Amino acid sequence: MKKLINSPEDVVSESVEGLVFAHESLLELHPSARVVMRRDRRREKVALISGGGSGHEPLHVGYVGYGMLDAACPGEIFTSPTPDQMYEAAKATDRGQGILFIVKNYTGDTMNFSIAVDLLTAEDYSVEQVVIADDVAVQDSLYTAGRRGVGGTVFAEKIVGAKAEEGASLEELKELCEKVSNDVRSMGVALTSPTVPASGKPTFEIATDEMEIGIGIHGEPGRERVKLRTAKEIVEVMAKAIVEDLPFVAGDQVAVMVNGMGGSPLIELYLVYRELKNYLDKIGIGISRSLVGNYITSLEMQGVSITLLRLDEELKRLWDAPVFTPALRWGM
Amino acid sequence: MKKLINSPEDVVSESVEGLVFAHESLLELHPSARVVMRRDRRREKVALISGGGSGHEPLHVGYVGYGMLDAACPGEIFTSPTPDQMYEAAKATDRGQGILFIVKNYTGDTMNFSIAVDLLTAEDYSVEQVVIADDVAVQDSLYTAGRRGVGGTVFAEKIVGAKAEEGASLEELKELCEKVSNDVRSMGVALTSPTVPASGKPTFEIATDEMEIGIGIHGEPGRERVKLRTAKEIVEVMAKAIVEDLPFVAGDQVAVMVNGMGGSPLIELYLVYRELKNYLDKIGIGISRSLVGNYITSLEMQGVSITLLRLDEELKRLWDAPVFTPALRWGM
């Protein structure tokens, strides 16, 4: 196992500490739970919280800050955080306006966030959750009932985060998050497997001439194992599956994300973006906003995912709103 | 060879096209040469230009924009751009205030930029160049006489870019760039080899329990091949070599970059940052600015480099100045 770490059991805590050190004017650690929080919590607003297994950085810890999350709860690698992390995150960031959990659809995450909702509701906190399930590749999966939650979560956190900053109510934010969730679709491919530090071995075996179409962000199986294809062919498979699912139609304006899985270099991601733009141009779908880079990863896995979100003027405005986090920053 | 590409010969042109598509309000391609330029060139300022082999993205094409470069000349993978690219870049971006080339110290780059300087000087353009040679690992190398130019180039482009935006003269910018070059040091390690698309094979062989200390960004040999070590041990080797070289001394304020080589996930880079901060804290060196992420890469190579720049108030101010490029963006 080739990793820049000290020991498998300390990877998450040491990396989270490094993140907070590197952005100490913006972030702080909760004193008793593994929770990354915005340092400035004076503002009266709905507390926006997410979390999930680690190994997908910058998701979620890198999206804590102005215009996105108030707190993130990182679990162990590819393992859900615990309800007490979510509970403590909520208590520490609640400003009396309520709490919204944004949850990726994995069995452990949905179960633990639901327990946290029950705990908080029992103490009269006002708390809601929205589950993101945007991966069109497969129905049900290794850790999921229904569809997996992947790149759409980045769009949800940005857009709902912007609206929360404007002072929207918990009900409005829940509705907006459900709208984003309804209108976003993703799919990914992998060329190599991630290696979970505690296991020390690749999660799956894959031949040197093969790729996995529809990969999950924990290396869960996708739709099919195929021989290597060109970027153009790969993009067409992914984009077609995404477009036909919603469906996106000619005339739609979309935000796209070409997301690296952690081990693929940027030169390849921009090449994939070119193929995606050419494909969407041909079918009359207009890219009006875009992200190209590593935004939701799977440790050192080589691969890429594509996410499309249908935009309207309100979503464009919220996407463009200022954001200041470790991983997304503009307008301020 | 596992890559998201169409064909080895088209990687660079297709990726550059994707970059310009993704940032089309900011960037444009030169109509006849492979040059990525700022779209808005109305402003009277010194033209700041860099370039080098591709495969190090976001360097340099991702640093074209407000507050950094006016143009970048991408060569083929790990191959210097040609003098005519630099010549055309200069002619297209010159606003009568002169041109500064920022050059990484590799034999092909220094030769070709010097030829471009001669061509432009012969046509009465006012042009200067500064060579960055910040890698403390080795003296001379596979493609280099003297030290290699690596991560310090990112700091130089940001800081000199900010000063150029303020309207500084060519002489002032050259002097500032030399100051940055004098006060910046870097070193890197690799766990795996990059694979150049045209070759299809890893550049070097490395055992599953080995790492290369002092790696170059083209996979050039470093100081030694050693057994895998912990992140803490690796950081101490790198940081000690860097600190003792300048030397940085107790009380210094520095900007640090923990840079991923392309295949290392962010969770590892933040862990490395933690080790670096702990090391520098112990010897009394204060981190006052930081970057953690993939800023100068070597295709899909797993590894990390560390760069330290000694700061004064002027450099801090220029570092903090607004920047708007594909890869660095803040303050606007």
Side-chain angles (χ1 to χ4, degrees):
Chain A
M1 173 174 63
K2 289 201 156 179
K3 288 179 186 290
L4 297 159
I5 65 174
N6 293 313
S7 69
E9 56 272 23
D10 295 327
V11 172
V12 175
S13 57
E14 292 181 349
S15 180
V16 164
E17 193 172 296
L19 172 87
V20 174
F21 279 163
H23 306 280
E24 61 188 353
S25 62
L26 185 65
L27 303 179
E28 67 178 305
L29 275 174
H30 189 284
S32 63
R34 185 187 284 160
V35 175
V36 174
M37 306 186 296
R38 281 168 70 165
R39 187 172 285 280
D40 180 359
R41 299 189 297 279
R42 290 166 303 181
R43 188 131 176 221
E44 292 212 348
K45 65 183 282 290
V46 171
L48 200 63
I49 297 172
S50 190
S54 293
H56 308 301
E57 291 69 26
L59 192 84
H60 299 271
V61 290
Y63 300 130
V64 177
Y66 182 89
M68 286 187 84
L69 300 177
D70 293 278
C73 308
E76 284 302 311
I77 302 280
F78 294 176
T79 303
S80 173
T82 56
D84 73 286
Q85 287 175 269
M86 302 151 186
Y87 171 82
E88 295 295 345
K91 285 185 65 166
T93 58
D94 179 67
R95 286 293 165 274
Q97 312 291 307
I99 299 138
L100 181 66
F101 289 146
I102 300 182
V103 185
K104 300 196 303 303
N105 191 35
Y106 296 99
T107 308
D109 292 313
T110 55
M111 185 177 71
N112 290 345
F113 272 107
S114 291
I115 293 171
V117 167
D118 290 345
L119 292 172
L120 291 160
T121 305
E123 295 185 20
D124 289 331
Y125 285 93
S126 185
V127 53
E128 297 282 356
Q129 59 176 325
V130 175
V131 176
I132 310 287
D134 56 316
D135 187 342
V136 305
V138 292
Q139 189 67 25
D140 301 339
S141 187
L142 218 49
Y143 312 104
T144 318
R147 286 180 165 181
R148 301 178 294 222
V150 289
T153 316
V154 178
F155 285 139
E157 292 177 5
K158 170 66 183 83
I159 286 168
V160 178
K163 188 85 175 173
E165 217 66 62
E166 291 178 355
S169 71
L170 180 57
E171 302 320 307
E172 288 168 326
L173 294 177
K174 186 184 181 201
E175 192 179 321
L176 176 66
C177 197
E178 285 167 346
K179 174 185 158 79
V180 171
S181 177
N182 284 336
D183 288 352
V184 72
R185 296 292 186 277
S186 298
M187 190 161 151
V189 300
L191 306 180
T192 63
S193 170
T195 295
V196 175
S199 123
K201 293 189 305 255
T203 301
F204 59 87
E205 293 298 322
I206 186 162
T208 53
D209 63 345
E210 285 181 336
M211 60 190 304
E212 178 81 16
I213 305 259
I215 193 77
I217 57 170
H218 312 92
E220 309 99 296
R223 291 185 173 185
E224 51 175 344
R225 183 70 60 92
V226 301
K227 295 290 173 193
L228 288 174
R229 299 182 185 176
T230 64
K232 182 167 192 286
E233 291 165 331
I234 297 163
V235 166
E236 282 177 2
V237 168
M238 287 195 286
K240 187 166 186 288
I242 289 168
V243 166
E244 291 181 352
D245 190 90
L246 187 65
F248 295 89
V249 298
D252 277 352
Q253 290 285 308
V254 296
V256 310
M257 178 167 70
V258 172
N259 169 62
M261 292 293 200
S264 281
L266 193 56
I267 192 170
E268 298 181 25
L269 304 184
Y270 275 117
L271 195 152
V272 165
Y273 181 85
R274 171 186 185 270
E275 300 306 330
L276 178 61
K277 179 179 187 304
N278 286 342
Y279 181 88
L280 294 177
D281 277 355
K282 264 187 291 188
I283 58 174
I285 294 173
I287 300 177
S288 98
R289 301 293 185 274
S290 66
L291 281 181
V292 182
N294 294 343
Y295 294 101
I296 168 172
T297 61
S298 180
L299 295 168
E300 71 276 72
M301 185 164 82
Q302 286 186 18
V304 64
S305 66
I306 290 173
T307 298
L308 261 68
L309 167 67
R310 185 163 52 200
L311 292 174
D312 58 21
E313 290 311 309
E314 165 83 344
L315 295 192
K316 281 185 203 171
R317 184 181 68 75
L318 293 167
W319 180 255
D320 293 340
V323 61
F324 193 90
T325 70
L328 278 190
R329 192 176 300 190
W330 58 69
M332 59 191 298
Chain B
M1 174 175 61
K2 289 200 155 178
K3 289 179 185 292
L4 297 160
I5 64 174
N6 292 314
S7 69
E9 57 271 24
D10 295 329
V11 171
V12 174
S13 57
E14 292 181 349
S15 180
V16 165
E17 193 173 296
L19 172 87
V20 174
F21 280 163
H23 306 281
E24 61 189 352
S25 61
L26 185 65
L27 304 178
E28 68 178 303
L29 276 173
H30 190 285
S32 63
R34 186 187 284 162
V35 174
V36 174
M37 306 186 294
R38 282 168 70 167
R39 187 172 285 281
D40 180 358
R41 299 189 297 279
R42 290 166 303 181
R43 187 129 178 224
E44 291 213 350
K45 66 184 280 292
V46 172
L48 201 62
I49 296 172
S50 191
S54 294
H56 308 300
E57 291 69 24
L59 191 85
H60 299 272
V61 289
Y63 300 130
V64 177
Y66 181 88
M68 287 186 84
L69 301 177
D70 293 278
C73 309
E76 284 301 311
I77 302 280
F78 294 177
T79 303
S80 174
T82 55
D84 73 287
Q85 286 176 269
M86 303 150 185
Y87 171 82
E88 295 294 346
K91 286 184 64 164
T93 58
D94 179 68
R95 287 290 165 276
Q97 312 291 307
I99 300 139
L100 182 65
F101 289 145
I102 299 182
V103 185
K104 300 197 301 307
N105 190 35
Y106 296 99
T107 307
D109 292 315
T110 54
M111 186 177 70
N112 290 345
F113 272 106
S114 292
I115 293 171
V117 167
D118 290 345
L119 292 171
L120 291 159
T121 305
E123 296 185 20
D124 289 332
Y125 284 93
S126 184
V127 55
E128 297 283 357
Q129 60 176 324
V130 176
V131 176
I132 310 288
D134 57 316
D135 188 341
V136 305
V138 292
Q139 189 67 24
D140 300 339
S141 188
L142 218 49
Y143 312 103
T144 319
R147 287 179 164 183
R148 301 177 294 221
V150 288
T153 315
V154 178
F155 285 139
E157 292 177 5
K158 171 65 184 81
I159 286 167
V160 179
K163 188 85 176 173
E165 217 66 61
E166 292 179 354
S169 72
L170 180 57
E171 303 320 308
E172 289 169 324
L173 295 176
K174 186 185 180 200
E175 193 179 321
L176 176 66
C177 197
E178 285 166 347
K179 175 184 158 80
V180 171
S181 178
N182 285 336
D183 289 352
V184 72
R185 296 292 186 276
S186 300
M187 190 161 153
V189 299
L191 307 180
T192 63
S193 170
T195 295
V196 175
S199 125
K201 293 190 306 257
T203 301
F204 58 88
E205 294 298 323
I206 185 162
T208 54
D209 63 346
E210 286 182 336
M211 60 190 305
E212 179 82 16
I213 306 260
I215 193 77
I217 55 171
H218 313 92
E220 308 98 299
R223 290 186 174 186
E224 49 175 346
R225 182 71 60 93
V226 301
K227 295 290 173 192
L228 286 174
R229 299 182 186 176
T230 65
K232 182 167 191 285
E233 291 166 330
I234 296 163
V235 166
E236 282 177 2
V237 169
M238 287 195 286
K240 188 166 186 290
I242 290 168
V243 165
E244 290 180 353
D245 190 89
L246 188 61
F248 295 90
V249 298
D252 277 353
Q253 291 284 307
V254 296
V256 310
M257 177 167 71
V258 172
N259 169 61
M261 292 293 199
S264 282
L266 193 56
I267 193 169
E268 297 181 23
L269 304 183
Y270 275 117
L271 195 153
V272 166
Y273 181 84
R274 172 187 185 270
E275 300 306 330
L276 179 61
K277 179 180 188 304
N278 287 341
Y279 181 88
L280 294 177
D281 277 355
K282 264 187 291 188
I283 59 175
I285 294 174
I287 300 177
S288 98
R289 301 293 185 274
S290 65
L291 280 182
V292 182
N294 294 342
Y295 294 102
I296 167 172
T297 61
S298 180
L299 295 169
E300 71 277 74
M301 185 163 83
Q302 285 186 18
V304 64
S305 66
I306 290 173
T307 298
L308 260 69
L309 168 67
R310 186 164 52 199
L311 292 174
D312 59 20
E313 291 311 310
E314 166 83 343
L315 295 192
K316 281 185 204 172
R317 184 181 68 75
L318 293 167
W319 180 255
D320 293 341
V323 60
F324 193 91
T325 70
L328 278 191
R329 191 177 300 190
W330 58 69
M332 61 190 300

